[in-house]
Amino acid sequence: MITPADLPDTIPLFPLSGALLLPRGRLPLHVFEPRYLAMVDDALKAPGRMIGMIQPIGDSERLQSIGCAGRITSFTETEDGRYMITLTGVSRFRMGEVEEGFTPYKRLRADWAGFDRDLGQPEHDRHMDRTQFLALLARFFELEELQSDWEHLKDAEDELLINALSTLCPFEAEDKQALLEAPSLTTRRETLVTLMEFALRSRNGDEKLQ
């Protein structure tokens, strides 16, 4: 269990559009750019093995103000020197001062204030109607031509279900950011429902909102 005292003042930064890492969630990454290969090498040597995931704003070099730090929990190296890593989400952070020039990648001072719940126990969504939610999800998956293990979804814990769908569903980068910034699991689920309903209404004009 990671405590606030374990969170480092400075973390390496990995800007990647559309990639969503959530606290206690998992994000597989294929790392091949030389500067980010160096970042992984350095992170693996650090005590916490942490990397800060954050999204660019549009096509610019500006970055969103909130990201999520993850710990490297598994990695493999290919014969040609690339890394396949898995990050497990630790805590969201707010952007502090960005440090440039010391490494080929950016580092920043992370502000962890306001995200205490990220270090706690998994959240539950007591307001979720799972039957209704899964019915909407089935229509969305059909629209996107996605497949899933429905029996597994039915049995999944609230947080695992909602966070995995938030990470895997093919939403735009700004939508992923909204899911990241949701203050609670219930709010994230409500945002997820809104995004799925919008996609259904956009392509099927007669799709009725829940």
Short mmCIF file of all heavy atoms in Angstrom, two decimals, residues 139-193:
data_model
loop_
_atom_site.label_atom_id
_atom_site.label_comp_id
_atom_site.label_asym_id
_atom_site.label_seq_id
_atom_site.Cartn_x
_atom_site.Cartn_y
_atom_site.Cartn_z
N ARG A 139 -25.23 -2.27 -26.44
CA ARG A 139 -25.56 -1.51 -27.66
C ARG A 139 -24.35 -0.74 -28.16
O ARG A 139 -24.11 -0.63 -29.37
CB ARG A 139 -26.74 -0.57 -27.39
CG ARG A 139 -28.02 -1.28 -26.99
CD ARG A 139 -29.25 -0.41 -27.19
NE ARG A 139 -29.20 0.84 -26.47
CZ ARG A 139 -29.58 0.98 -25.19
NH1 ARG A 139 -29.99 -0.07 -24.49
NH2 ARG A 139 -29.54 2.17 -24.61
N PHE A 140 -23.59 -0.18 -27.23
CA PHE A 140 -22.40 0.58 -27.61
C PHE A 140 -21.36 -0.35 -28.24
O PHE A 140 -20.74 -0.01 -29.26
CB PHE A 140 -21.82 1.28 -26.39
CG PHE A 140 -20.55 2.05 -26.67
CD1 PHE A 140 -20.59 3.26 -27.33
CD2 PHE A 140 -19.32 1.54 -26.27
CE1 PHE A 140 -19.42 3.97 -27.60
CE2 PHE A 140 -18.15 2.24 -26.53
CZ PHE A 140 -18.21 3.44 -27.19
N PHE A 141 -21.16 -1.52 -27.64
CA PHE A 141 -20.19 -2.48 -28.19
C PHE A 141 -20.62 -2.94 -29.58
O PHE A 141 -19.78 -3.13 -30.47
CB PHE A 141 -20.04 -3.68 -27.26
CG PHE A 141 -18.99 -3.49 -26.19
CD1 PHE A 141 -18.70 -2.23 -25.69
CD2 PHE A 141 -18.29 -4.57 -25.69
CE1 PHE A 141 -17.73 -2.04 -24.72
CE2 PHE A 141 -17.31 -4.40 -24.71
CZ PHE A 141 -17.03 -3.14 -24.23
N GLU A 142 -21.90 -3.13 -29.77
CA GLU A 142 -22.39 -3.53 -31.09
C GLU A 142 -22.12 -2.43 -32.11
O GLU A 142 -21.69 -2.70 -33.24
CB GLU A 142 -23.89 -3.82 -31.02
CG GLU A 142 -24.47 -4.29 -32.35
CD GLU A 142 -25.95 -4.59 -32.26
OE1 GLU A 142 -26.56 -4.35 -31.19
OE2 GLU A 142 -26.52 -5.05 -33.28
N LEU A 143 -22.33 -1.19 -31.70
CA LEU A 143 -22.07 -0.04 -32.58
C LEU A 143 -20.60 0.02 -32.97
O LEU A 143 -20.27 0.26 -34.14
CB LEU A 143 -22.49 1.25 -31.87
CG LEU A 143 -22.22 2.56 -32.60
CD1 LEU A 143 -23.20 2.73 -33.75
CD2 LEU A 143 -22.29 3.74 -31.65
N GLU A 144 -19.72 -0.20 -32.01
CA GLU A 144 -18.28 -0.08 -32.24
C GLU A 144 -17.66 -1.40 -32.72
O GLU A 144 -16.44 -1.47 -32.92
CB GLU A 144 -17.58 0.37 -30.96
CG GLU A 144 -18.00 1.75 -30.46
CD GLU A 144 -17.50 2.87 -31.35
OE1 GLU A 144 -16.58 2.62 -32.18
OE2 GLU A 144 -18.02 3.99 -31.23
N GLU A 145 -18.49 -2.43 -32.86
CA GLU A 145 -18.02 -3.75 -33.29
C GLU A 145 -16.94 -4.28 -32.35
O GLU A 145 -15.90 -4.80 -32.76
CB GLU A 145 -17.52 -3.71 -34.73
CG GLU A 145 -18.60 -3.31 -35.73
CD GLU A 145 -18.11 -3.32 -37.17
OE1 GLU A 145 -16.88 -3.40 -37.38
OE2 GLU A 145 -18.95 -3.26 -38.08
N LEU A 146 -17.23 -4.16 -31.05
CA LEU A 146 -16.34 -4.65 -30.01
C LEU A 146 -16.92 -5.92 -29.40
O LEU A 146 -18.13 -6.13 -29.42
CB LEU A 146 -16.16 -3.59 -28.91
CG LEU A 146 -15.60 -2.24 -29.35
CD1 LEU A 146 -15.66 -1.25 -28.20
CD2 LEU A 146 -14.18 -2.39 -29.86
N GLN A 147 -16.06 -6.74 -28.87
CA GLN A 147 -16.50 -7.97 -28.21
C GLN A 147 -15.97 -8.01 -26.79
O GLN A 147 -14.95 -7.37 -26.47
CB GLN A 147 -16.01 -9.20 -28.99
CG GLN A 147 -16.61 -9.32 -30.38
CD GLN A 147 -16.19 -10.59 -31.07
OE1 GLN A 147 -15.35 -11.35 -30.59
NE2 GLN A 147 -16.79 -10.84 -32.23
N SER A 148 -16.66 -8.74 -25.92
CA SER A 148 -16.22 -8.86 -24.54
C SER A 148 -16.75 -10.14 -23.93
O SER A 148 -17.65 -10.78 -24.47
CB SER A 148 -16.70 -7.64 -23.73
OG SER A 148 -16.21 -7.70 -22.42
N ASP A 149 -16.18 -10.48 -22.79
CA ASP A 149 -16.65 -11.62 -21.99
C ASP A 149 -17.73 -11.10 -21.06
O ASP A 149 -17.45 -10.57 -19.99
CB ASP A 149 -15.47 -12.20 -21.20
CG ASP A 149 -15.87 -13.42 -20.37
OD1 ASP A 149 -17.08 -13.64 -20.20
OD2 ASP A 149 -14.97 -14.12 -19.89
N TRP A 150 -18.99 -11.24 -21.46
CA TRP A 150 -20.09 -10.64 -20.72
C TRP A 150 -20.27 -11.24 -19.34
O TRP A 150 -20.65 -10.55 -18.39
CB TRP A 150 -21.38 -10.73 -21.53
CG TRP A 150 -21.31 -9.83 -22.74
CD1 TRP A 150 -21.08 -10.20 -24.01
CD2 TRP A 150 -21.42 -8.41 -22.75
NE1 TRP A 150 -21.03 -9.10 -24.84
CE2 TRP A 150 -21.25 -7.99 -24.10
CE3 TRP A 150 -21.65 -7.45 -21.76
CZ2 TRP A 150 -21.29 -6.65 -24.46
CZ3 TRP A 150 -21.68 -6.11 -22.13
CH2 TRP A 150 -21.51 -5.72 -23.47
N GLU A 151 -19.98 -12.52 -19.19
CA GLU A 151 -20.09 -13.13 -17.87
C GLU A 151 -19.08 -12.52 -16.91
O GLU A 151 -19.38 -12.28 -15.74
CB GLU A 151 -19.88 -14.65 -17.97
CG GLU A 151 -21.01 -15.38 -18.66
CD GLU A 151 -22.36 -15.13 -17.98
OE1 GLU A 151 -22.41 -15.16 -16.74
OE2 GLU A 151 -23.35 -14.89 -18.70
N HIS A 152 -17.89 -12.25 -17.43
CA HIS A 152 -16.86 -11.61 -16.61
C HIS A 152 -17.28 -10.19 -16.23
O HIS A 152 -17.08 -9.77 -15.08
CB HIS A 152 -15.53 -11.59 -17.36
CG HIS A 152 -14.41 -10.94 -16.60
ND1 HIS A 152 -13.81 -11.54 -15.52
CD2 HIS A 152 -13.82 -9.73 -16.75
CE1 HIS A 152 -12.87 -10.73 -15.04
NE2 HIS A 152 -12.85 -9.64 -15.78
N LEU A 153 -17.85 -9.47 -17.17
CA LEU A 153 -18.30 -8.11 -16.89
C LEU A 153 -19.39 -8.09 -15.83
O LEU A 153 -19.40 -7.21 -14.96
CB LEU A 153 -18.81 -7.43 -18.17
CG LEU A 153 -17.77 -7.04 -19.22
CD1 LEU A 153 -18.47 -6.40 -20.42
CD2 LEU A 153 -16.74 -6.09 -18.64
N LYS A 154 -20.29 -9.04 -15.90
CA LYS A 154 -21.39 -9.07 -14.93
C LYS A 154 -20.88 -9.26 -13.51
O LYS A 154 -21.47 -8.76 -12.55
CB LYS A 154 -22.37 -10.20 -15.28
CG LYS A 154 -23.18 -9.94 -16.54
CD LYS A 154 -24.08 -11.14 -16.86
CE LYS A 154 -24.84 -10.92 -18.16
NZ LYS A 154 -25.66 -12.11 -18.51
N ASP A 155 -19.76 -9.99 -13.36
CA ASP A 155 -19.25 -10.32 -12.04
C ASP A 155 -18.17 -9.35 -11.55
O ASP A 155 -17.75 -9.43 -10.40
CB ASP A 155 -18.68 -11.74 -12.04
CG ASP A 155 -19.76 -12.79 -12.30
OD1 ASP A 155 -20.93 -12.52 -11.99
OD2 ASP A 155 -19.42 -13.87 -12.82
N ALA A 156 -17.70 -8.46 -12.42
CA ALA A 156 -16.59 -7.58 -12.06
C ALA A 156 -17.01 -6.58 -10.97
O ALA A 156 -18.15 -6.12 -10.93
CB ALA A 156 -16.10 -6.83 -13.30
N GLU A 157 -16.07 -6.26 -10.10
CA GLU A 157 -16.31 -5.22 -9.09
C GLU A 157 -16.56 -3.89 -9.79
O GLU A 157 -16.09 -3.65 -10.90
CB GLU A 157 -15.10 -5.10 -8.16
CG GLU A 157 -14.85 -6.33 -7.29
CD GLU A 157 -15.94 -6.53 -6.25
OE1 GLU A 157 -16.57 -5.52 -5.85
OE2 GLU A 157 -16.16 -7.68 -5.85
N ASP A 158 -17.28 -2.99 -9.10
CA ASP A 158 -17.68 -1.72 -9.70
C ASP A 158 -16.50 -0.96 -10.28
O ASP A 158 -16.52 -0.52 -11.44
CB ASP A 158 -18.37 -0.83 -8.66
CG ASP A 158 -19.69 -1.39 -8.17
OD1 ASP A 158 -20.19 -2.35 -8.79
OD2 ASP A 158 -20.22 -0.87 -7.17
N GLU A 159 -15.46 -0.77 -9.48
CA GLU A 159 -14.34 0.05 -9.92
C GLU A 159 -13.61 -0.60 -11.08
O GLU A 159 -13.25 0.08 -12.06
CB GLU A 159 -13.37 0.30 -8.77
CG GLU A 159 -12.23 1.25 -9.16
CD GLU A 159 -11.31 1.56 -8.01
OE1 GLU A 159 -10.38 0.76 -7.76
OE2 GLU A 159 -11.49 2.62 -7.38
N LEU A 160 -13.39 -1.89 -11.01
CA LEU A 160 -12.71 -2.58 -12.10
C LEU A 160 -13.50 -2.46 -13.39
O LEU A 160 -12.95 -2.19 -14.46
CB LEU A 160 -12.50 -4.06 -11.74
CG LEU A 160 -11.85 -4.93 -12.80
CD1 LEU A 160 -10.46 -4.42 -13.14
CD2 LEU A 160 -11.80 -6.38 -12.35
N LEU A 161 -14.80 -2.63 -13.31
CA LEU A 161 -15.66 -2.55 -14.49
C LEU A 161 -15.62 -1.16 -15.11
O LEU A 161 -15.35 -0.99 -16.31
CB LEU A 161 -17.10 -2.91 -14.10
CG LEU A 161 -18.17 -2.73 -15.18
CD1 LEU A 161 -17.93 -3.69 -16.33
CD2 LEU A 161 -19.56 -2.93 -14.59
N ILE A 162 -15.88 -0.14 -14.30
CA ILE A 162 -15.98 1.22 -14.81
C ILE A 162 -14.64 1.73 -15.31
O ILE A 162 -14.53 2.34 -16.39
CB ILE A 162 -16.57 2.15 -13.74
CG1 ILE A 162 -18.02 1.75 -13.45
CG2 ILE A 162 -16.49 3.62 -14.17
CD1 ILE A 162 -18.61 2.39 -12.22
N ASN A 163 -13.58 1.47 -14.55
CA ASN A 163 -12.27 1.98 -14.95
C ASN A 163 -11.71 1.26 -16.17
O ASN A 163 -11.10 1.88 -17.04
CB ASN A 163 -11.28 1.89 -13.78
CG ASN A 163 -11.55 2.94 -12.72
OD1 ASN A 163 -12.44 3.78 -12.88
ND2 ASN A 163 -10.81 2.89 -11.64
N ALA A 164 -11.95 -0.05 -16.25
CA ALA A 164 -11.48 -0.79 -17.43
C ALA A 164 -12.19 -0.31 -18.69
O ALA A 164 -11.56 -0.13 -19.74
CB ALA A 164 -11.69 -2.29 -17.23
N LEU A 165 -13.49 -0.08 -18.61
CA LEU A 165 -14.23 0.42 -19.76
C LEU A 165 -13.79 1.83 -20.13
O LEU A 165 -13.67 2.17 -21.31
CB LEU A 165 -15.73 0.39 -19.47
CG LEU A 165 -16.35 -1.01 -19.37
CD1 LEU A 165 -17.79 -0.91 -18.87
CD2 LEU A 165 -16.30 -1.74 -20.70
N SER A 166 -13.53 2.66 -19.13
CA SER A 166 -13.07 4.03 -19.39
C SER A 166 -11.75 4.01 -20.15
O SER A 166 -11.51 4.82 -21.04
CB SER A 166 -12.90 4.79 -18.07
OG SER A 166 -14.13 4.94 -17.40
N THR A 167 -10.89 3.07 -19.80
CA THR A 167 -9.58 2.96 -20.43
C THR A 167 -9.67 2.38 -21.84
O THR A 167 -9.01 2.86 -22.77
CB THR A 167 -8.65 2.08 -19.57
OG1 THR A 167 -8.49 2.68 -18.28
CG2 THR A 167 -7.28 1.91 -20.22
N LEU A 168 -10.51 1.37 -22.02
CA LEU A 168 -10.50 0.60 -23.27
C LEU A 168 -11.44 1.13 -24.35
O LEU A 168 -11.19 0.92 -25.53
CB LEU A 168 -10.86 -0.86 -22.96
CG LEU A 168 -9.86 -1.60 -22.06
CD1 LEU A 168 -10.41 -2.97 -21.69
CD2 LEU A 168 -8.51 -1.74 -22.74
N CYS A 169 -12.53 1.79 -23.97
CA CYS A 169 -13.50 2.24 -24.98
C CYS A 169 -12.88 3.31 -25.88
O CYS A 169 -12.10 4.16 -25.40
CB CYS A 169 -14.76 2.77 -24.31
SG CYS A 169 -15.83 1.48 -23.64
N PRO A 170 -13.23 3.31 -27.16
CA PRO A 170 -12.59 4.20 -28.13
C PRO A 170 -13.16 5.62 -28.12
O PRO A 170 -13.84 6.05 -29.07
CB PRO A 170 -12.87 3.50 -29.46
CG PRO A 170 -14.18 2.81 -29.24
CD PRO A 170 -14.16 2.34 -27.80
N PHE A 171 -12.88 6.37 -27.06
CA PHE A 171 -13.34 7.75 -26.95
C PHE A 171 -12.24 8.70 -27.39
O PHE A 171 -11.05 8.34 -27.43
CB PHE A 171 -13.77 8.07 -25.52
CG PHE A 171 -14.91 7.23 -25.01
CD1 PHE A 171 -14.79 6.52 -23.83
CD2 PHE A 171 -16.10 7.15 -25.72
CE1 PHE A 171 -15.84 5.74 -23.36
CE2 PHE A 171 -17.16 6.38 -25.27
CZ PHE A 171 -17.02 5.67 -24.08
N GLU A 172 -12.63 9.95 -27.67
CA GLU A 172 -11.66 10.98 -28.02
C GLU A 172 -10.81 11.33 -26.81
O GLU A 172 -11.19 11.08 -25.65
CB GLU A 172 -12.38 12.23 -28.53
CG GLU A 172 -13.20 12.01 -29.80
CD GLU A 172 -12.32 11.67 -31.00
OE1 GLU A 172 -11.15 12.11 -31.04
OE2 GLU A 172 -12.81 10.96 -31.90
N ALA A 173 -9.65 11.96 -27.07
CA ALA A 173 -8.71 12.28 -25.99
C ALA A 173 -9.34 13.18 -24.93
O ALA A 173 -9.13 12.99 -23.73
CB ALA A 173 -7.46 12.94 -26.58
N GLU A 174 -10.14 14.17 -25.37
CA GLU A 174 -10.76 15.08 -24.39
C GLU A 174 -11.79 14.35 -23.54
O GLU A 174 -12.01 14.70 -22.36
CB GLU A 174 -11.38 16.29 -25.07
CG GLU A 174 -12.44 15.98 -26.11
CD GLU A 174 -11.89 15.86 -27.52
OE1 GLU A 174 -10.71 15.51 -27.67
OE2 GLU A 174 -12.66 16.13 -28.47
N ASP A 175 -12.43 13.32 -24.11
CA ASP A 175 -13.37 12.51 -23.34
C ASP A 175 -12.63 11.67 -22.30
O ASP A 175 -13.09 11.50 -21.17
CB ASP A 175 -14.19 11.61 -24.26
CG ASP A 175 -15.02 12.39 -25.26
OD1 ASP A 175 -15.45 13.51 -24.92
OD2 ASP A 175 -15.24 11.90 -26.38
N LYS A 176 -11.48 11.13 -22.69
CA LYS A 176 -10.65 10.38 -21.75
C LYS A 176 -10.22 11.28 -20.59
O LYS A 176 -10.18 10.85 -19.43
CB LYS A 176 -9.41 9.83 -22.45
CG LYS A 176 -9.70 8.83 -23.56
CD LYS A 176 -9.89 7.43 -23.02
CE LYS A 176 -9.91 6.40 -24.14
NZ LYS A 176 -10.01 5.02 -23.64
N GLN A 177 -9.91 12.53 -20.91
CA GLN A 177 -9.50 13.46 -19.86
C GLN A 177 -10.65 13.72 -18.89
O GLN A 177 -10.44 13.80 -17.67
CB GLN A 177 -9.02 14.78 -20.48
CG GLN A 177 -8.41 15.75 -19.48
CD GLN A 177 -7.10 15.26 -18.90
OE1 GLN A 177 -6.40 14.44 -19.51
NE2 GLN A 177 -6.75 15.76 -17.72
N ALA A 178 -11.86 13.84 -19.40
CA ALA A 178 -13.02 14.03 -18.54
C ALA A 178 -13.22 12.83 -17.61
O ALA A 178 -13.56 13.00 -16.43
CB ALA A 178 -14.27 14.26 -19.38
N LEU A 179 -12.98 11.64 -18.12
CA LEU A 179 -13.09 10.44 -17.28
C LEU A 179 -12.01 10.43 -16.20
O LEU A 179 -12.26 10.05 -15.06
CB LEU A 179 -12.97 9.18 -18.15
CG LEU A 179 -14.17 8.93 -19.08
CD1 LEU A 179 -13.79 7.93 -20.18
CD2 LEU A 179 -15.37 8.42 -18.30
N LEU A 180 -10.81 10.87 -16.55
CA LEU A 180 -9.73 10.95 -15.57
C LEU A 180 -10.07 11.93 -14.45
O LEU A 180 -9.83 11.65 -13.27
CB LEU A 180 -8.43 11.38 -16.26
CG LEU A 180 -7.25 11.69 -15.34
CD1 LEU A 180 -6.77 10.43 -14.65
CD2 LEU A 180 -6.12 12.36 -16.11
N GLU A 181 -10.62 13.06 -14.81
CA GLU A 181 -10.85 14.12 -13.84
C GLU A 181 -12.12 13.93 -13.02
O GLU A 181 -12.37 14.70 -12.08
CB GLU A 181 -10.87 15.48 -14.55
CG GLU A 181 -9.54 15.84 -15.19
CD GLU A 181 -9.52 17.24 -15.79
OE1 GLU A 181 -10.43 18.04 -15.45
OE2 GLU A 181 -8.62 17.53 -16.60
N ALA A 182 -12.93 12.93 -13.34
CA ALA A 182 -14.15 12.68 -12.56
C ALA A 182 -13.79 12.52 -11.09
O ALA A 182 -12.93 11.71 -10.74
CB ALA A 182 -14.85 11.43 -13.08
N PRO A 183 -14.45 13.26 -10.19
CA PRO A 183 -14.05 13.25 -8.78
C PRO A 183 -14.39 11.97 -8.03
O PRO A 183 -13.84 11.71 -6.97
CB PRO A 183 -14.81 14.45 -8.20
CG PRO A 183 -15.97 14.65 -9.10
CD PRO A 183 -15.50 14.26 -10.47
N SER A 184 -15.30 11.17 -8.54
CA SER A 184 -15.69 9.93 -7.86
C SER A 184 -16.00 8.86 -8.89
O SER A 184 -16.16 9.15 -10.08
CB SER A 184 -16.91 10.17 -6.96
OG SER A 184 -18.06 10.40 -7.76
N LEU A 185 -16.11 7.63 -8.43
CA LEU A 185 -16.44 6.53 -9.34
C LEU A 185 -17.83 6.71 -9.92
O LEU A 185 -18.06 6.43 -11.10
CB LEU A 185 -16.33 5.20 -8.61
CG LEU A 185 -16.45 3.95 -9.49
CD1 LEU A 185 -15.28 3.85 -10.46
CD2 LEU A 185 -16.54 2.69 -8.64
N THR A 186 -18.77 7.19 -9.10
CA THR A 186 -20.13 7.43 -9.60
C THR A 186 -20.12 8.47 -10.72
O THR A 186 -20.76 8.30 -11.76
CB THR A 186 -21.05 7.89 -8.46
OG1 THR A 186 -21.16 6.82 -7.50
CG2 THR A 186 -22.43 8.23 -8.98
N THR A 187 -19.37 9.55 -10.53
CA THR A 187 -19.27 10.58 -11.56
C THR A 187 -18.62 10.05 -12.82
O THR A 187 -19.02 10.38 -13.93
CB THR A 187 -18.47 11.79 -11.04
OG1 THR A 187 -19.00 12.21 -9.79
CG2 THR A 187 -18.54 12.95 -12.02
N ARG A 188 -17.62 9.18 -12.66
CA ARG A 188 -16.97 8.59 -13.84
C ARG A 188 -17.96 7.71 -14.59
O ARG A 188 -18.00 7.72 -15.82
CB ARG A 188 -15.73 7.80 -13.42
CG ARG A 188 -14.94 7.23 -14.60
CD ARG A 188 -13.58 6.69 -14.16
NE ARG A 188 -12.78 7.76 -13.60
CZ ARG A 188 -12.19 7.71 -12.40
NH1 ARG A 188 -12.30 6.62 -11.66
NH2 ARG A 188 -11.49 8.73 -11.98
N ARG A 189 -18.74 6.92 -13.86
CA ARG A 189 -19.73 6.07 -14.52
C ARG A 189 -20.77 6.93 -15.24
O ARG A 189 -21.17 6.63 -16.37
CB ARG A 189 -20.40 5.16 -13.50
CG ARG A 189 -21.35 4.11 -14.09
CD ARG A 189 -22.80 4.50 -13.90
NE ARG A 189 -23.08 4.76 -12.51
CZ ARG A 189 -24.11 5.47 -12.10
NH1 ARG A 189 -24.97 5.98 -12.96
NH2 ARG A 189 -24.31 5.71 -10.82
N GLU A 190 -21.21 8.02 -14.62
CA GLU A 190 -22.17 8.91 -15.27
C GLU A 190 -21.58 9.53 -16.53
O GLU A 190 -22.27 9.67 -17.55
CB GLU A 190 -22.60 9.99 -14.29
CG GLU A 190 -23.45 9.47 -13.13
CD GLU A 190 -23.67 10.51 -12.04
OE1 GLU A 190 -22.96 11.55 -12.03
OE2 GLU A 190 -24.54 10.29 -11.17
N THR A 191 -20.30 9.89 -16.48
CA THR A 191 -19.63 10.43 -17.66
C THR A 191 -19.52 9.37 -18.75
O THR A 191 -19.74 9.64 -19.93
CB THR A 191 -18.22 10.94 -17.29
OG1 THR A 191 -18.33 11.91 -16.24
CG2 THR A 191 -17.53 11.56 -18.49
N LEU A 192 -19.20 8.16 -18.36
CA LEU A 192 -19.10 7.05 -19.30
C LEU A 192 -20.44 6.79 -19.98
O LEU A 192 -20.51 6.60 -21.20
CB LEU A 192 -18.63 5.80 -18.54
CG LEU A 192 -18.29 4.54 -19.32
CD1 LEU A 192 -17.19 4.80 -20.33
CD2 LEU A 192 -17.89 3.43 -18.35
N VAL A 193 -21.52 6.82 -19.20
CA VAL A 193 -22.86 6.62 -19.76
C VAL A 193 -23.18 7.73 -20.76
O VAL A 193 -23.69 7.47 -21.86
CB VAL A 193 -23.92 6.59 -18.63
CG1 VAL A 193 -25.33 6.75 -19.19
CG2 VAL A 193 -23.82 5.28 -17.85
#
